[in-house]
Amino acid sequence: MSENKSTSLDKMPPTLDFLNYICKLKHLDRAGWVRCGIEKPEPVAAHMYRMAVMSAFIIRDPSIDANKCIRLSIVHDMGESIIGDITPHDDVPKTTKAAMEFAAIEKITSLLPGASGEELLNLFVEYEEGKTPEAKIVKYLDRYDMIQQAYEYERNEKKPKFLQEFFDATANFFDDSHPIIKDLVDKLLAAREANTPFSQ
């Protein structure tokens, strides 16, 4: 019978360093909510998680690769584990932010073995380019999750429409989105207009 033996390590194995970067996303509050004074703002990981859930169970379309959407959802903000959640209010040029985020993703993917790192990097590039049907869907889900979260905070804090800026920022954004997402948006806006409470 073999015995379990502990091994002394002078340097952390790359895979564990990778997982530590992912852990940071569980504790990185979304900057937009922090700026608006939300008492308990969601972390980046929670945002990515709900996007992944929507990809898996809401976007029921045989022409869309749901597995790809899930993977894009959990990859798209990984770079924030290094650079933080940069928003338009930070006045960082888009090209500068894109370069920072790509460098962060390269660092993160370098910690994964071969094909895994390559896949993660390719998924990030696919999302950023926004050309494939799946990347387009996930970009819409990114914005949809933001406005539903905004309404949830308005309800939780009993301040109707105090997060209007997030809805203004997405005005007409969903006009060409997938019918399932457009339906979600229409229902959410109608609920917000009526200040309808969630069932929980």
Side-chain angles (χ1 to χ4, degrees), residues 154-185:
E154 290 176 340
R155 289 290 314 171
N156 293 345
E157 305 213 359
K158 298 179 174 59
K159 297 178 181 178
K161 299 189 176 181
F162 90 106
L163 294 173
Q164 181 62 38
E165 66 178 272
F166 294 93
F167 293 87
D168 291 342
T170 56
N172 303 318
F173 178 79
F174 298 101
D175 289 353
D176 297 321
S177 65
H178 191 284
I180 293 175
I181 297 176
K182 289 180 72 173
D183 183 57
L184 287 175
V185 173

Side-chain angles (χ1 to χ4, degrees), residues 24-25 27-36 41-48 76-92 97 100-101 104 127 142 145-146 149 153 166:
K24 295 179 188 300
L25 298 172
H27 308 285
L28 176 64
D29 291 340
R30 297 257 282 165
W33 309 131
V34 174
R35 179 178 55 78
C36 291
E42 66 169 344
V44 172
H47 163 64
M48 295 162 66
H76 83 287
D77 277 342
M78 274 190 188
E80 294 181 9
S81 65
I82 293 177
I83 67 172
D85 185 14
I86 298 173
T87 75
H89 291 271
D90 295 313
D91 292 326
V92 176
K97 179 186 176 184
M100 291 170 63
E101 200 160 13
Y127 174 81
D142 180 44
D145 180 70
M146 180 185 74
Q149 187 65 64
Y153 286 141
F166 294 93

